[in-house]
């Protein structure tokens, strides 16, 4: 009786990168599983002692960092020799963009963390970084297909509020689901922060709709540190948002105190 063999070689992006730890299945033509096994350290696996007949090979599980190549490769074993098969996988790609919600531009200074969800409600930290004004690409070797991740803003940049957590699911083909829906920006997930806006006006009790100039006001943070001082004009003062910080926890507040240091001529200092 004639027996052949099939050797599967698994490559990464190039043929210089052999991939161990890839699970393959060898099937008969009718879909019956003959054997499943993982590639070794040399990126290969050999299915031996195969009677003549029609078979196909299919990748079942890629190694960490790579997407699934679902190509079925047909083999016709007709003689006592080895039949080589080659597979190439693409890397998982995930980039995080941190943007201003109004200007749609990259913003720096946000402290971000990416977690892998485990056992339903558990989380394992994958990577931590601070945004720099350019999108951040996650190391592909940290990622897995058919896995759920959570993007968390641990600290918003000065002048911005906190963004809600984003759930990311990496599909077998490398595509992304973001909060349960297909990602509209390909392999880039965009998290947007809302700028803090604070306008301060000075009016008199007898002229409540008219801005009063020449009052000196100061703004203090919750540690009673002065963060801004200015003289009022005939229009409202726009406070520099970079001086302000939002609370991290939803439903909580960060308090600031406004004090009048000097009143306009003819008026007393407001309490």
């Amino acid at each position: 009786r004639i027996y052949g063999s099939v050797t599967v070689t698994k490559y990464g992006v190039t043929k210089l990168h052999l991939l161990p730890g890839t699970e393959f299945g060898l099937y008969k033509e009718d879909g019956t599983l003959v054997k499943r096994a993982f590639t070794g350290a040399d990126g290969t696996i050999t299915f031996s002692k195969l009677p003549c007949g029609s078979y196909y090979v299919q990748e079942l599980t890629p190694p960490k960092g790579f997407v699934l190549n679902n190509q079925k490769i047909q083999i016709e074993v007709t003689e006592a020799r080895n039949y080589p098969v080659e597979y190439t996988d693409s890397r998982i790609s995930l980039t995080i963009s941190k943007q201003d919600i109004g200007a749609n531009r990259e913003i720096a200074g946000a402290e971000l963390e990416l977690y892998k969800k485990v056992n339903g409600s558990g989380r394992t930290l994958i990577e931590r970084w601070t945004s720099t004004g350019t999108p951040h690409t996650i190391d592909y070797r940290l990622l897995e297909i058919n896995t759920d991740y959570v993007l968390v803003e641990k600290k918003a940049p000065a002048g911005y509020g906190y963004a809600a957590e984003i759930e990311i699911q990496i599909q077998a083909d490398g595509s992304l689901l973001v909060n349960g829906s297909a990602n509209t920006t390909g392999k880039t997930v965009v998290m947007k922060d809302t700028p803090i806006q604070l306008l301060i006006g000075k009016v008199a009790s007898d002229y409540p709709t008219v801005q009063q100039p020449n009052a000196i006001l100061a703004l203090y943070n919750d540690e009673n540190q002065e963060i801004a001082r200015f003289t009022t004009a005939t229009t409202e003062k726009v406070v520099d948002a970079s001086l302000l910080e939002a609370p991290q926890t939803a439903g909580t507040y960060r308090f600031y105190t406004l004090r009048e240091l000097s009143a306009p001529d003819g008026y007393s200092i407001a309490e």
Side-chain angles (χ1 to χ4, degrees):
R1 192 172 185 180
I2 297 175
Y3 293 93
S5 62
V6 173
T7 295
V8 182
T9 302
K10 181 61 180 292
Y11 296 105
V13 178
T14 71
K15 289 193 174 183
L16 298 176
H17 187 192
L18 293 165
L19 291 181
T22 307
E23 185 182 26
F24 285 96
L26 178 71
Y27 297 84
K28 292 183 180 179
E29 187 178 29
D30 63 2
T32 301
L33 177 66
V34 176
K35 187 177 181 181
R36 57 196 300 167
F38 289 88
T39 54
D42 61 354
T44 70
I45 185 173
T46 298
F47 298 100
S48 304
K49 296 183 179 180
L50 301 177
C52 292
S54 298
Y55 301 88
Y56 67 86
V57 173
Q58 187 168 16
E59 183 176 322
L60 302 178
T61 307
K64 191 173 183 178
F66 291 84
V67 303
L68 182 69
N69 184 338
N70 60 9
Q71 178 187 14
K72 293 181 180 180
I73 297 181
Q74 307 288 335
I75 307 108
E76 192 73 28
V77 176
T78 59
E79 54 187 291
R81 68 176 182 87
N82 181 263
Y83 294 81
V85 171
E86 294 182 354
Y87 272 83
T88 300
D89 274 2
S90 300
R91 293 173 179 173
I92 297 173
S93 177
L94 175 59
T95 298
I96 307 299
S97 173
K98 187 62 175 170
Q99 296 184 7
D100 180 301
I101 197 169
N104 293 324
R105 60 178 175 80
E106 295 289 326
I107 54 177
E111 295 179 12
L112 304 173
E113 294 179 345
L114 184 68
Y115 290 86
K116 175 184 175 181
K117 295 181 72 173
V118 292
N119 300 324
S121 59
R123 295 181 179 183
T124 299
L125 179 64
I126 297 298
E127 189 171 352
R128 178 187 291 120
W129 72 98
T130 300
S131 65
T132 61
T134 57
H136 175 78
T137 298
I138 305 298
D139 186 343
Y140 75 96
R141 293 168 295 186
L142 302 175
L143 302 172
E144 302 173 63
I145 64 168
N146 299 325
T147 302
D148 295 326
Y149 297 88
V150 181
L151 177 63
V152 178
E153 183 167 31
K154 296 298 291 185
K155 184 174 177 58
Y160 288 89
Y162 282 77
E165 295 183 354
I166 296 178
E167 294 198 359
I168 305 166
Q169 185 180 83
I170 300 177
Q171 306 294 290
D173 62 358
S175 62
L176 305 177
L177 291 182
V178 176
N179 292 333
S181 300
N183 192 35
T184 57
T185 53
K187 305 299 177 61
T188 299
V189 173
V190 180
M191 175 180 269
K192 295 189 176 184
D193 279 356
T194 301
I196 298 172
Q197 294 181 323
L198 177 61
L199 300 178
I200 295 177
K202 174 65 178 175
V203 297
S205 59
D206 50 348
Y207 295 102
T209 61
V210 179
Q211 294 293 321
Q212 298 292 319
N214 301 319
I216 299 176
L217 305 181
L219 186 65
Y220 298 82
N221 62 19
D222 53 7
E223 297 179 350
N224 202 34
Q225 297 171 328
E226 183 180 309
I227 62 171
R229 180 182 295 209
F230 57 93
T231 301
T232 61
T234 56
T235 58
E236 292 177 314
K237 168 69 176 180
V238 179
V239 177
D240 182 357
S242 66
L243 301 174
L244 307 173
E245 294 184 10
Q248 182 176 4
T249 305
T252 62
Y253 302 90
R254 186 177 294 276
F255 293 94
Y256 293 85
T257 302
L258 181 65
R259 296 182 183 138
E260 185 171 26
L261 305 181
S262 177
D265 290 343
Y267 291 91
S268 60
I269 292 177
E271 295 295 330

